[in-house]
Amino acid sequence: MDKKVMLLNQTLVTEFLLLGVTDIQELNPILFVTVLAMYFVNVAGNGAILLIVISDPRLHSPMYFFLGNLACLDICFSTVTVPKILDNFFSTSKAISFLGCITQLYFFHLLGSTEALLLAVMAFDRFVAICRPLHYPSIMNGQVCIQVAISIWAIPFVHALVHSILTSQLNFCGSNQIHHFFCDVKPLLELACGNTELNRWLLNTFTGTFAIGLFFLTFLSYFYIITYLFLKTRSCSMLHKALSTCASHFMVVMIFYAPVLFIYINPDSGSSLEKDRIIAVMYTVVTPALNPLIYTLRNKEVRGALNRKLRILL
């Protein structure tokens, strides 16, 4: 009888407590303003990019089509976590329901995997445009771009669903305090009872392999581009323009992948959770805000379209 009661208590967890970005309460007002400012830059910057990509006919090309997808994705990705982070800075309960926690976990992995795929496709788009310019219109035509975009958003559905279902089936006992500022698989596994080997294998092997594989393909595309440019391009101005475009793309890739690879390839351990929280701030708050700044500051076409739009509005 006692065993059944204990099992019942483990499976009837109704909420978790998100401990937040830091345990130092005095930092909360400063962090609140900082995170809110970054979120505003993210939404305003990416929203502006999305608007000009849609409205400016000069940007109706595969490169900017995928840039528009990235802008939309960055807004959604931050919105999964940031509003709850801001609320918890001054909340006394810091509670999130069991269903809300699993839902947040699902969309976090869905959108994170989608961004990894999108960055790989954007790198391939640049590879075809620079290294195979004569074949570019046929390879990256409008129909192909739409099909690729649908696939990019659809493929991570299964990956995120598997994580969500397996995590929701775990038994939770003891503390319901999550040492993180959002619901993710790794901190939830620290609270789980029973066998979590399958969950850990999926997190460290499948998710890690997925991330490394996409990073390798992305890196390979840029490696071929740089090699091709130095071997084939005779014009210094053309070389500079191509390298400048690729540099902004590769900067986004590095900012996105550096913290992700560290967390999902680093072996699980309770002592790493504090470090994980700090690193997670990078790809949930900072990176989505930096992307529009990188693209607008380094991309002449985007800057020109933005200036034209502002002149019309003003």
Coordinates of all heavy atoms in Angstrom, one line a residue, residues 43-130:
V43 N 12.8 41.7 -30.7 CA 11.5 41.8 -31.3 C 11.5 43.0 -32.3 O 11.0 42.8 -33.5 CB 10.4 42.0 -30.3 CG1 9.0 42.3 -31.0 CG2 10.3 40.8 -29.4
A44 N 12.0 44.1 -31.9 CA 12.0 45.3 -32.8 C 12.9 45.1 -34.0 O 12.6 45.3 -35.2 CB 12.5 46.5 -32.1
G45 N 14.1 44.6 -33.8 CA 15.1 44.3 -34.9 C 14.7 43.3 -35.8 O 14.7 43.5 -37.0
N46 N 14.3 42.1 -35.3 CA 13.9 41.0 -36.2 C 12.5 41.3 -36.8 O 12.3 40.9 -38.0 CB 13.8 39.7 -35.3 CG 15.1 39.1 -35.1 OD1 15.9 38.8 -36.0 ND2 15.5 38.9 -33.8
G47 N 11.7 42.0 -36.1 CA 10.4 42.5 -36.7 C 10.6 43.4 -37.9 O 10.0 43.3 -38.9
A48 N 11.6 44.3 -37.8 CA 12.0 45.2 -38.9 C 12.5 44.5 -40.1 O 12.2 44.7 -41.2 CB 13.0 46.3 -38.4
I49 N 13.4 43.5 -39.8 CA 14.0 42.7 -40.9 C 12.9 41.9 -41.6 O 12.8 41.9 -42.8 CB 15.0 41.7 -40.3 CG1 16.3 42.5 -40.0 CG2 15.4 40.6 -41.4 CD1 17.4 41.6 -39.4
L50 N 12.0 41.3 -40.8 CA 10.9 40.5 -41.4 C 10.0 41.5 -42.3 O 9.6 41.1 -43.4 CB 10.0 39.9 -40.3 CG 9.0 38.9 -40.7 CD1 9.6 37.7 -41.4 CD2 8.3 38.4 -39.4
L51 N 9.7 42.7 -41.8 CA 8.9 43.6 -42.5 C 9.5 44.0 -43.8 O 8.8 44.0 -44.9 CB 8.6 44.8 -41.6 CG 7.8 46.0 -42.3 CD1 6.4 45.5 -42.6 CD2 7.8 47.2 -41.4
I52 N 10.8 44.4 -43.8 CA 11.4 44.9 -45.0 C 11.6 43.7 -46.0 O 11.6 43.9 -47.2 CB 12.7 45.6 -44.8 CG1 13.8 44.7 -44.1 CG2 12.5 46.9 -43.9 CD1 15.1 45.4 -43.9
V53 N 11.9 42.5 -45.5 CA 12.1 41.4 -46.5 C 10.8 41.1 -47.2 O 10.8 40.7 -48.4 CB 12.6 40.1 -45.7 CG1 12.4 38.9 -46.5 CG2 14.0 40.3 -45.3
I54 N 9.7 41.2 -46.5 CA 8.3 41.0 -47.1 C 7.9 42.1 -48.0 O 7.4 41.8 -49.1 CB 7.3 40.8 -46.0 CG1 7.5 39.5 -45.2 CG2 5.9 40.7 -46.6 CD1 6.6 39.3 -44.0
S55 N 8.2 43.3 -47.6 CA 7.7 44.5 -48.4 C 8.6 45.0 -49.5 O 8.1 45.6 -50.4 CB 7.4 45.6 -47.4 OG 8.6 46.1 -46.7
D56 N 9.9 44.8 -49.4 CA 10.8 45.3 -50.4 C 11.0 44.3 -51.5 O 11.6 43.2 -51.3 CB 12.1 45.7 -49.8 CG 13.0 46.5 -50.7 OD1 13.0 46.3 -51.9 OD2 13.6 47.5 -50.2
P57 N 10.6 44.5 -52.8 CA 10.8 43.6 -53.9 C 12.2 43.3 -54.2 O 12.5 42.2 -54.7 CB 10.1 44.3 -55.1 CG 9.2 45.3 -54.5 CD 9.9 45.7 -53.2
R58 N 13.1 44.2 -53.8 CA 14.6 43.9 -54.1 C 15.1 42.8 -53.2 O 16.2 42.3 -53.5 CB 15.4 45.2 -53.9 CG 14.9 46.4 -54.7 CD 15.7 47.6 -54.5 NE 15.1 48.8 -55.0 CZ 15.6 50.0 -55.0 NH1 16.9 50.2 -54.5 NH2 15.0 51.1 -55.5
L59 N 14.4 42.5 -52.2 CA 14.9 41.5 -51.2 C 14.2 40.2 -51.4 O 14.2 39.3 -50.5 CB 14.8 42.0 -49.8 CG 15.6 43.2 -49.4 CD1 15.4 43.5 -47.9 CD2 17.1 43.1 -49.8
H60 N 13.4 40.1 -52.5 CA 12.7 38.8 -52.8 C 13.6 37.8 -53.5 O 13.4 37.5 -54.6 CB 11.4 39.1 -53.6 CG 10.4 39.8 -52.8 ND1 9.2 40.2 -53.3 CD2 10.4 40.3 -51.5 CE1 8.5 40.9 -52.4 NE2 9.2 40.9 -51.3
S61 N 14.6 37.3 -52.7 CA 15.5 36.3 -53.2 C 15.7 35.3 -52.2 O 15.3 35.5 -51.0 CB 16.9 37.0 -53.5 OG 17.5 37.5 -52.3
P62 N 16.2 34.1 -52.5 CA 16.3 33.0 -51.5 C 17.1 33.4 -50.3 O 16.7 33.0 -49.2 CB 17.1 31.9 -52.3 CG 16.7 32.1 -53.7 CD 16.6 33.6 -53.9
M63 N 18.2 34.1 -50.4 CA 19.0 34.5 -49.3 C 18.1 35.3 -48.2 O 18.2 35.0 -47.0 CB 20.1 35.4 -49.7 CG 21.0 36.0 -48.6 SD 22.3 37.0 -49.2 CE 22.9 37.8 -47.8
Y64 N 17.3 36.3 -48.7 CA 16.6 37.1 -47.8 C 15.3 36.4 -47.4 O 14.7 36.7 -46.3 CB 16.3 38.5 -48.4 CG 17.6 39.2 -48.6 CD1 18.1 39.4 -49.9 CD2 18.3 39.7 -47.6 CE1 19.3 40.0 -50.1 CE2 19.5 40.4 -47.7 CZ 20.0 40.5 -49.0 OH 21.2 41.2 -49.2
F65 N 14.8 35.5 -48.2 CA 13.7 34.6 -47.8 C 14.0 33.8 -46.5 O 13.3 33.8 -45.6 CB 13.3 33.7 -48.9 CG 12.3 32.6 -48.6 CD1 10.9 33.0 -48.4 CD2 12.7 31.3 -48.3 CE1 10.0 32.0 -48.0 CE2 11.7 30.4 -48.0 CZ 10.4 30.7 -47.8
F66 N 15.2 33.2 -46.5 CA 15.6 32.5 -45.4 C 16.0 33.4 -44.2 O 15.8 33.1 -43.0 CB 16.8 31.6 -45.7 CG 16.5 30.5 -46.6 CD1 17.1 30.3 -47.9 CD2 15.5 29.5 -46.3 CE1 16.8 29.3 -48.7 CE2 15.1 28.5 -47.1 CZ 15.8 28.4 -48.4
L67 N 16.5 34.6 -44.5 CA 16.8 35.6 -43.5 C 15.5 36.0 -42.8 O 15.5 36.2 -41.5 CB 17.5 36.8 -44.1 CG 17.8 38.0 -43.1 CD1 18.7 37.5 -41.9 CD2 18.4 39.1 -43.8
G68 N 14.4 36.1 -43.5 CA 13.1 36.4 -43.0 C 12.6 35.3 -42.0 O 12.1 35.6 -41.0
N69 N 12.9 34.1 -42.5 CA 12.5 32.9 -41.6 C 13.3 33.0 -40.3 O 12.8 32.7 -39.2 CB 12.8 31.6 -42.4 CG 11.7 31.2 -43.2 OD1 10.8 30.4 -42.8 ND2 11.6 31.7 -44.4
L70 N 14.6 33.3 -40.4 CA 15.5 33.4 -39.2 C 15.0 34.5 -38.3 O 14.9 34.3 -37.0 CB 16.9 33.7 -39.6 CG 17.9 33.8 -38.5 CD1 18.1 32.5 -37.7 CD2 19.3 34.2 -39.0
A71 N 14.6 35.6 -38.8 CA 14.0 36.7 -38.0 C 12.8 36.3 -37.2 O 12.6 36.5 -36.0 CB 13.8 37.9 -38.9
C72 N 11.9 35.6 -38.0 CA 10.6 35.1 -37.3 C 11.0 34.1 -36.3 O 10.4 34.1 -35.2 CB 9.7 34.5 -38.4 SG 8.2 33.8 -37.8
L73 N 11.9 33.2 -36.6 CA 12.3 32.2 -35.6 C 12.9 32.7 -34.4 O 12.6 32.3 -33.3 CB 13.3 31.3 -36.4 CG 13.7 29.9 -35.7 CD1 12.5 29.1 -35.4 CD2 14.7 29.2 -36.5
D74 N 13.7 33.8 -34.5 CA 14.4 34.4 -33.3 C 13.3 35.0 -32.4 O 13.5 34.9 -31.2 CB 15.4 35.4 -33.8 CG 16.7 34.8 -34.1 OD1 17.0 33.7 -33.6 OD2 17.5 35.4 -34.9
I75 N 12.3 35.6 -33.0 CA 11.3 36.2 -32.1 C 10.5 35.1 -31.4 O 10.3 35.2 -30.1 CB 10.3 37.0 -33.0 CG1 11.0 38.2 -33.6 CG2 9.1 37.5 -32.1 CD1 10.1 39.0 -34.6
C76 N 10.2 34.0 -32.1 CA 9.5 32.9 -31.4 C 10.3 32.2 -30.4 O 9.8 31.9 -29.3 CB 9.0 31.9 -32.5 SG 7.8 32.6 -33.7
F77 N 11.6 32.0 -30.7 CA 12.5 31.3 -29.8 C 12.6 32.0 -28.5 O 12.6 31.4 -27.4 CB 13.9 31.2 -30.5 CG 14.8 30.2 -29.8 CD1 14.4 29.0 -29.4 CD2 16.1 30.6 -29.6 CE1 15.3 28.1 -28.7 CE2 17.0 29.7 -29.0 CZ 16.6 28.5 -28.5
S78 N 12.8 33.3 -28.5 CA 13.0 34.1 -27.2 C 11.6 34.2 -26.5 O 11.6 34.1 -25.3 CB 13.5 35.5 -27.5 OG 14.8 35.5 -27.7
T79 N 10.5 34.2 -27.2 CA 9.2 34.4 -26.6 C 8.8 33.1 -25.8 O 8.0 33.2 -24.9 CB 8.2 34.7 -27.7 OG1 8.5 35.9 -28.4 CG2 6.8 34.9 -27.1
V80 N 9.4 32.0 -26.2 CA 9.2 30.8 -25.4 C 9.7 30.9 -24.0 O 9.0 30.3 -23.0 CB 9.8 29.6 -26.1 CG1 9.8 28.3 -25.2 CG2 9.2 29.3 -27.4
T81 N 10.8 31.6 -23.7 CA 11.4 31.7 -22.4 C 11.4 33.0 -21.7 O 11.2 33.1 -20.5 CB 12.8 31.2 -22.5 OG1 13.6 32.0 -23.4 CG2 12.9 29.7 -22.9
V82 N 11.6 34.1 -22.5 CA 11.8 35.4 -21.9 C 10.7 36.0 -21.1 O 10.9 36.5 -20.0 CB 12.3 36.4 -23.0 CG1 12.4 37.8 -22.4 CG2 13.7 36.0 -23.5
P83 N 9.4 35.9 -21.6 CA 8.3 36.4 -20.7 C 8.3 35.8 -19.3 O 8.0 36.5 -18.3 CB 7.1 36.1 -21.6 CG 7.6 36.1 -23.0 CD 8.9 35.5 -22.9
K84 N 8.5 34.5 -19.3 CA 8.5 33.8 -18.0 C 9.7 34.2 -17.1 O 9.6 34.3 -15.9 CB 8.5 32.3 -18.2 CG 8.3 31.4 -16.9 CD 6.9 31.7 -16.3 CE 6.8 30.9 -15.1 NZ 5.5 31.2 -14.4
I85 N 10.8 34.4 -17.8 CA 12.0 34.9 -17.1 C 11.7 36.3 -16.4 O 12.0 36.5 -15.2 CB 13.2 35.0 -18.0 CG1 13.6 33.7 -18.6 CG2 14.4 35.7 -17.3 CD1 14.7 33.8 -19.7
L86 N 11.2 37.2 -17.2 CA 10.9 38.5 -16.7 C 9.9 38.5 -15.5 O 10.0 39.2 -14.5 CB 10.3 39.4 -17.8 CG 11.3 39.7 -19.0 CD1 10.6 40.4 -20.1 CD2 12.5 40.6 -18.5
D87 N 8.9 37.6 -15.7 CA 7.8 37.5 -14.6 C 8.5 36.9 -13.3 O 8.1 37.4 -12.2 CB 6.7 36.5 -15.1 CG 5.7 36.3 -14.0 OD1 5.1 37.3 -13.6 OD2 5.4 35.1 -13.7
N88 N 9.4 36.0 -13.4 CA 10.0 35.4 -12.3 C 11.0 36.2 -11.5 O 11.3 35.9 -10.4 CB 10.6 34.0 -12.7 CG 9.6 32.9 -12.8 OD1 8.5 33.1 -12.5 ND2 10.1 31.8 -13.4
F89 N 11.5 37.3 -12.2 CA 12.4 38.2 -11.5 C 11.8 38.8 -10.2 O 12.5 39.0 -9.2 CB 12.9 39.3 -12.4 CG 14.0 38.9 -13.3 CD1 14.0 39.1 -14.6 CD2 15.2 38.3 -12.7 CE1 15.0 38.7 -15.5 CE2 16.2 38.0 -13.6 CZ 16.2 38.2 -14.9
F90 N 10.5 39.1 -10.3 CA 9.8 39.7 -9.1 C 8.7 38.8 -8.6 O 7.9 39.3 -7.7 CB 9.3 41.1 -9.5 CG 10.4 42.0 -9.9 CD1 10.5 42.4 -11.3 CD2 11.3 42.5 -9.0 CE1 11.6 43.2 -11.7 CE2 12.3 43.4 -9.4 CZ 12.4 43.7 -10.7
S91 N 8.5 37.6 -9.1 CA 7.5 36.7 -8.6 C 7.9 36.0 -7.3 O 9.1 35.7 -7.2 CB 7.1 35.7 -9.7 OG 6.2 34.7 -9.2
T92 N 7.0 35.9 -6.4 CA 7.3 35.2 -5.2 C 7.2 33.7 -5.3 O 7.9 32.9 -4.6 CB 6.4 35.6 -4.0 OG1 5.0 35.5 -4.4 CG2 6.7 37.1 -3.7
S93 N 6.3 33.2 -6.2 CA 6.1 31.7 -6.3 C 7.0 31.1 -7.3 O 7.5 30.0 -7.1 CB 4.6 31.5 -6.7 OG 4.4 31.9 -8.0
K94 N 7.3 31.8 -8.5 CA 8.2 31.2 -9.5 C 7.7 29.9 -10.1 O 8.4 29.1 -10.5 CB 9.6 31.1 -9.1 CG 10.3 32.4 -8.6 CD 11.7 32.2 -8.2 CE 12.3 33.5 -7.7 NZ 12.4 34.6 -8.6
A95 N 6.4 29.7 -9.9 CA 5.8 28.4 -10.3 C 5.4 28.3 -11.8 O 5.1 29.3 -12.4 CB 4.5 28.1 -9.5
I96 N 5.6 27.1 -12.3 CA 5.1 26.8 -13.7 C 4.4 25.4 -13.6 O 4.9 24.5 -13.0 CB 6.2 26.8 -14.7 CG1 5.7 26.6 -16.1 CG2 7.3 25.8 -14.4 CD1 6.7 26.8 -17.2
S97 N 3.3 25.3 -14.2 CA 2.5 24.0 -14.1 C 3.3 22.9 -14.9 O 4.1 23.2 -15.7 CB 1.1 24.2 -14.8 OG 1.2 24.4 -16.2
F98 N 2.9 21.7 -14.5 CA 3.6 20.6 -15.2 C 3.4 20.6 -16.7 O 4.3 20.4 -17.4 CB 3.0 19.2 -14.6 CG 3.7 18.0 -15.1 CD1 4.8 17.5 -14.5 CD2 3.2 17.4 -16.3 CE1 5.4 16.3 -15.0 CE2 3.8 16.2 -16.8 CZ 4.9 15.7 -16.1
L99 N 2.1 20.9 -17.1 CA 1.8 20.9 -18.5 C 2.6 22.1 -19.2 O 3.1 22.0 -20.3 CB 0.3 21.1 -18.7 CG -0.2 21.2 -20.2 CD1 0.3 19.9 -21.0 CD2 -1.7 21.4 -20.2
G100 N 2.6 23.3 -18.5 CA 3.3 24.4 -19.0 C 4.8 24.2 -19.2 O 5.4 24.6 -20.1
C101 N 5.3 23.4 -18.2 CA 6.8 23.1 -18.3 C 7.1 22.2 -19.5 O 8.0 22.5 -20.2 CB 7.2 22.4 -17.0 SG 8.9 22.1 -16.8
I102 N 6.3 21.2 -19.7 CA 6.5 20.3 -20.8 C 6.3 21.0 -22.1 O 7.0 20.8 -23.1 CB 5.6 19.0 -20.7 CG1 5.9 18.2 -19.4 CG2 5.7 18.1 -21.9 CD1 7.3 17.7 -19.4
T103 N 5.3 21.9 -22.1 CA 5.0 22.7 -23.4 C 6.2 23.6 -23.7 O 6.6 23.7 -24.9 CB 3.7 23.5 -23.2 OG1 2.6 22.6 -22.9 CG2 3.4 24.3 -24.4
Q104 N 6.7 24.2 -22.7 CA 7.9 25.1 -22.9 C 9.1 24.3 -23.4 O 9.8 24.7 -24.3 CB 8.2 25.8 -21.6 CG 9.3 26.9 -21.8 CD 9.7 27.6 -20.5 OE1 10.1 26.9 -19.5 NE2 9.5 28.9 -20.4
L105 N 9.3 23.1 -22.8 CA 10.4 22.3 -23.2 C 10.2 21.9 -24.7 O 11.2 21.9 -25.5 CB 10.4 21.0 -22.3 CG 11.5 19.9 -22.5 CD1 11.7 19.2 -21.2 CD2 11.1 18.9 -23.6
Y106 N 9.0 21.5 -25.1 CA 8.7 21.1 -26.4 C 9.0 22.2 -27.4 O 9.8 22.0 -28.4 CB 7.2 20.7 -26.6 CG 6.8 20.5 -28.0 CD1 7.2 19.4 -28.7 CD2 6.1 21.5 -28.7 CE1 6.9 19.2 -30.0 CE2 5.8 21.3 -30.1 CZ 6.2 20.2 -30.7 OH 5.8 20.0 -32.0
F107 N 8.5 23.4 -27.2 CA 8.7 24.5 -28.2 C 10.2 25.0 -28.2 O 10.7 25.4 -29.2 CB 7.8 25.7 -27.9 CG 6.4 25.5 -28.4 CD1 5.3 25.1 -27.5 CD2 6.1 25.5 -29.7 CE1 4.1 24.9 -28.0 CE2 4.9 25.3 -30.2 CZ 3.8 25.0 -29.4
F108 N 10.8 24.9 -27.0 CA 12.3 25.3 -27.0 C 13.1 24.4 -27.9 O 13.9 24.8 -28.7 CB 12.8 25.2 -25.5 CG 14.2 25.4 -25.4 CD1 14.8 26.7 -25.4 CD2 15.1 24.3 -25.2 CE1 16.1 26.9 -25.4 CE2 16.5 24.5 -25.1 CZ 17.0 25.8 -25.2
H109 N 12.9 23.0 -27.8 CA 13.6 22.1 -28.6 C 13.2 22.2 -30.1 O 14.0 22.0 -31.0 CB 13.5 20.7 -28.1 CG 14.4 20.4 -26.9 ND1 15.7 20.0 -27.1 CD2 14.3 20.6 -25.6 CE1 16.3 19.9 -25.9 NE2 15.5 20.2 -25.0
L110 N 11.9 22.4 -30.3 CA 11.4 22.5 -31.7 C 12.0 23.7 -32.4 O 12.6 23.6 -33.5 CB 9.8 22.7 -31.6 CG 9.2 23.1 -33.0 CD1 9.2 21.9 -33.9 CD2 7.7 23.5 -32.7
L111 N 12.0 24.9 -31.7 CA 12.5 26.1 -32.4 C 14.1 26.1 -32.4 O 14.7 26.6 -33.4 CB 12.0 27.3 -31.6 CG 10.5 27.5 -31.7 CD1 10.0 28.6 -30.8 CD2 10.0 27.8 -33.1
G112 N 14.7 25.5 -31.4 CA 16.2 25.4 -31.4 C 16.7 24.5 -32.5 O 17.6 24.9 -33.2
S113 N 16.0 23.4 -32.7 CA 16.4 22.5 -33.8 C 16.1 23.1 -35.2 O 16.9 22.9 -36.1 CB 15.6 21.2 -33.7 OG 15.9 20.5 -32.4
T114 N 15.0 23.8 -35.2 CA 14.6 24.5 -36.5 C 15.7 25.5 -36.9 O 16.1 25.7 -38.0 CB 13.3 25.2 -36.4 OG1 12.3 24.2 -36.0 CG2 12.9 25.9 -37.7
E115 N 16.2 26.3 -35.9 CA 17.2 27.3 -36.2 C 18.5 26.6 -36.6 O 19.2 27.1 -37.6 CB 17.5 28.2 -34.9 CG 18.5 29.2 -35.2 CD 18.3 30.5 -34.4 OE1 17.3 30.6 -33.7 OE2 19.2 31.4 -34.5
A116 N 18.9 25.5 -36.0 CA 20.1 24.8 -36.5 C 20.0 24.4 -37.9 O 20.9 24.5 -38.7 CB 20.3 23.6 -35.6
L117 N 18.8 23.8 -38.3 CA 18.6 23.4 -39.7 C 18.6 24.6 -40.6 O 19.2 24.6 -41.7 CB 17.2 22.7 -39.8 CG 17.2 21.2 -39.4 CD1 15.7 20.8 -39.2 CD2 17.9 20.4 -40.4
L118 N 18.0 25.7 -40.2 CA 17.9 26.9 -41.0 C 19.3 27.5 -41.3 O 19.6 27.9 -42.4 CB 17.0 28.0 -40.4 CG 16.8 29.3 -41.1 CD1 16.2 29.0 -42.5 CD2 15.9 30.2 -40.3
L119 N 20.1 27.5 -40.3 CA 21.5 28.1 -40.5 C 22.3 27.2 -41.5 O 23.1 27.7 -42.2 CB 22.2 28.1 -39.1 CG 21.7 29.2 -38.2 CD1 22.4 29.1 -36.8 CD2 21.9 30.6 -38.7
A120 N 22.1 25.9 -41.4 CA 22.7 25.0 -42.4 C 22.2 25.2 -43.8 O 23.0 25.3 -44.7 CB 22.5 23.5 -42.0
V121 N 20.9 25.5 -43.9 CA 20.4 25.7 -45.3 C 20.9 27.1 -45.8 O 21.2 27.2 -47.0 CB 18.8 25.7 -45.2 CG1 18.2 26.3 -46.5 CG2 18.3 24.3 -45.0
M122 N 21.0 28.1 -44.9 CA 21.5 29.4 -45.3 C 22.9 29.3 -45.8 O 23.3 30.0 -46.7 CB 21.3 30.4 -44.2 CG 19.9 30.8 -43.8 SD 19.7 31.8 -42.4 CE 20.2 33.4 -43.1
A123 N 23.7 28.5 -45.1 CA 25.1 28.3 -45.5 C 25.1 27.6 -46.9 O 25.9 28.0 -47.8 CB 25.8 27.4 -44.5
F124 N 24.3 26.6 -47.1 CA 24.2 25.9 -48.4 C 23.8 26.9 -49.5 O 24.3 26.8 -50.6 CB 23.3 24.7 -48.4 CG 23.1 24.0 -49.7 CD1 24.1 23.2 -50.1 CD2 21.9 24.2 -50.4 CE1 23.9 22.5 -51.4 CE2 21.8 23.5 -51.6 CZ 22.8 22.7 -52.1
D125 N 22.8 27.7 -49.2 CA 22.3 28.7 -50.2 C 23.5 29.6 -50.6 O 23.7 29.9 -51.8 CB 21.2 29.6 -49.5 CG 20.9 30.8 -50.4 OD1 20.2 30.6 -51.4 OD2 21.2 31.9 -50.0
R126 N 24.3 30.1 -49.7 CA 25.5 30.9 -50.0 C 26.5 30.1 -50.8 O 27.1 30.6 -51.7 CB 26.2 31.4 -48.7 CG 25.4 32.5 -48.0 CD 25.1 33.7 -48.8 NE 23.9 33.6 -49.7 CZ 23.7 34.2 -50.8 NH1 24.6 35.0 -51.3 NH2 22.6 34.0 -51.6
F127 N 26.7 28.8 -50.5 CA 27.6 28.0 -51.3 C 27.2 27.9 -52.7 O 28.0 28.0 -53.6 CB 27.6 26.6 -50.6 CG 28.3 25.5 -51.5 CD1 29.6 25.5 -51.7 CD2 27.5 24.6 -52.2 CE1 30.2 24.5 -52.5 CE2 28.1 23.6 -53.0 CZ 29.4 23.6 -53.2
V128 N 25.9 27.6 -53.0 CA 25.4 27.5 -54.3 C 25.5 28.8 -55.1 O 25.9 28.9 -56.2 CB 23.9 27.0 -54.4 CG1 23.4 26.9 -55.8 CG2 23.8 25.6 -53.7
A129 N 25.1 29.9 -54.4 CA 25.2 31.2 -55.0 C 26.6 31.7 -55.4 O 26.7 32.3 -56.5 CB 24.6 32.3 -54.0
I130 N 27.6 31.3 -54.6 CA 28.9 31.8 -54.9 C 29.7 30.8 -55.7 O 30.4 31.2 -56.6 CB 29.7 32.0 -53.5 CG1 29.0 33.2 -52.8 CG2 31.1 32.3 -53.7 CD1 29.5 33.5 -51.4

